[in-house]
Amino acid sequence: MLSKGLELYEHCLLAIEDNTLSHNYLEIKNILGVPQELVKVMTLCPFEHMRKWSLKIFQQNIDKFDSEGKYKLFRCLLKTTHHAGVQGYIIQNIKNQIDLALKVSNGNMWFSGQQLVPLLHLVLSLPEGAETDLLQNTDRIMESLNLLRYLVIRDNEWENQTGLWTDLFWIEKFLKPLRTGLNMSKAHYEAEIRNKKDNRKIKDASNHETRCSLTVGGKTLPKMTNAMQLEVLQSALYTFDVMESIQARIEELMELKMKSGTETKNVNNSAF
């Protein structure tokens, strides 16, 4: 039954040209509900080929809408979807739309200028502030950081094509709790690693290896040996290091761009 439904909907989408479906259709509850149902299949279906197929159709569904339709669909999905992987996928789509909008003569008002700012507010946020489980939300956070890094590189302060530089306070509201969360998470996992290493020394001395469970990113993993748990914990630390590295680069780029913008203004003022 599910495969027949996916096949029928995909067939309907193939008959529609990309970027031509009016945003007005999103006012129809059943049409807005389709991508939300696809998300359920993508995340909950036990069959991998069905999950991949529904993801393909999900992207096709996005591609059919006009710019305003994509904008409104992204906002709706970010508010209603709580799966970090799907949120990350949507943010990746937003980045692609912004990139298209910033190209010369595109004329896309929905993914540039002040119209874009409310969408960026949704993207650049942590669900629970500094207390957010960073591992559980890795996909969302990494895509958010990649988008912010792209915006800082692509948009100059004096041009402000994306509205990014209008008010930096809300960006700091994203980066500051993330910095705090990273520090807390790294400290916690480093302590766990030290504890596991101490336990391994004791077990090595007694020549006895046991298996026990480990909770990472809010999920209890199957019982593992001490060595296997250490590997998982090290992997988590690596993830935090990558996030920290991207955040540091963003802050460095912002400082350079702001300094460059100030110097440009001074040169222009001195010319008069």
Side-chain angles (χ1 to χ4, degrees):
M1 180 68 76
L2 177 58
S3 60
K4 289 292 184 183
L6 290 174
E7 185 178 0
L8 176 61
Y9 191 62
E10 184 176 34
H11 181 74
C12 292
L13 288 174
L14 290 174
I16 304 170
E17 286 187 31
D18 287 354
N19 308 308
T20 60
L21 195 60
S22 171
H23 59 276
N24 292 319
Y25 282 105
L26 290 173
E27 301 296 327
I28 303 172
K29 188 176 180 180
N30 287 343
I31 290 181
L32 181 59
V34 171
Q36 295 172 330
E37 292 301 315
L38 285 171
V39 167
K40 292 179 184 177
V41 181
M42 288 156 49
T43 57
L44 300 175
C45 182
F47 304 110
E48 184 181 4
H49 72 283
M50 297 292 279
R51 295 197 301 271
K52 289 182 176 179
W53 189 12
S54 61
L55 174 61
K56 176 188 171 187
I57 296 172
F58 181 75
Q59 184 62 58
Q60 289 174 335
N61 190 84
I62 291 171
D63 293 341
K64 300 306 171 186
F65 281 98
D66 58 21
S67 294
E68 186 175 350
K70 289 185 178 75
Y71 179 94
K72 291 181 176 179
L73 184 58
F74 293 152
R75 287 201 66 176
C76 175
L77 290 171
L78 283 175
K79 289 178 179 179
T80 58
T81 304
H82 304 293
H83 188 283
V86 177
Q87 291 172 336
Y89 189 82
I90 293 165
I91 293 168
Q92 194 177 67
N93 265 273
I94 292 171
K95 177 177 174 290
N96 292 340
Q97 290 303 314
I98 294 172
D99 188 55
L100 283 172
L102 294 181
K103 294 188 184 303
V104 180
S105 302
N106 182 279
N108 186 340
M109 60 170 282
W110 290 96
F111 291 94
S112 61
Q114 292 304 309
Q115 193 70 48
L116 177 62
V117 174
L119 188 59
L120 293 179
H121 282 200
L122 277 178
V123 171
L124 302 176
S125 64
L126 294 175
E128 297 169 43
E131 302 294 325
T132 299
D133 189 324
L134 301 185
L135 274 186
Q136 198 170 348
N137 289 277
T138 294
D139 291 337
R140 178 196 172 110
I141 294 168
M142 289 296 291
E143 290 300 337
S144 297
L145 286 170
N146 284 331
L147 172 58
L148 181 54
R149 178 175 57 182
Y150 163 81
L151 292 173
V152 173
I153 292 171
R154 180 67 177 78
D155 196 10
N156 294 310
E157 186 191 9
W158 63 88
E159 292 178 309
N160 198 23
Q161 293 175 284
T162 62
L164 177 75
W165 303 98
T166 302
D167 181 8
L168 298 179
F169 175 72
W170 61 272
I171 298 176
E172 185 59 21
K173 281 181 68 177
F174 168 64
L175 293 178
K176 185 176 180 179
L178 178 58
R179 194 180 306 119
T180 302
L182 282 168
N183 290 336
M184 291 192 300
S185 297
K186 288 181 72 174
H188 170 73
Y189 279 87
E190 284 167 354
E192 282 289 318
I193 288 172
R194 287 194 298 270
N195 185 42
K196 296 296 177 186
K197 286 181 177 178
D198 289 342
N199 287 342
R200 186 168 66 176
K201 289 177 184 177
I202 295 171
K203 286 168 184 173
D204 287 345
S206 63
N207 196 29
H208 179 64
E209 179 75 277
T210 59
R211 288 174 177 260
C212 55
S213 61
L214 177 70
T215 300
V216 175
K219 296 180 180 178
T220 301
L221 303 179
K223 289 188 175 182
M224 299 180 290
T225 64
N226 202 282
M228 292 164 67
Q229 290 183 44
L230 275 171
E231 190 175 334
V232 171
L233 292 168
Q234 290 285 5
S235 176
L237 268 184
Y238 173 75
T239 299
F240 298 145
D241 285 340
V242 173
M243 287 184 190
E244 197 170 51
S245 174
I246 298 174
Q247 176 167 356
R249 181 58 178 155
I250 288 169
E251 291 170 343
E252 179 186 1
L253 287 167
M254 287 180 69
E255 187 176 342
L256 287 170
K257 282 290 185 83
M258 291 173 70
K259 183 179 178 182
S260 174
T262 302
E263 289 175 352
T264 301
K265 287 177 184 176
N266 290 340
V267 169
N268 290 338
N269 291 335
S270 65
F272 291 98

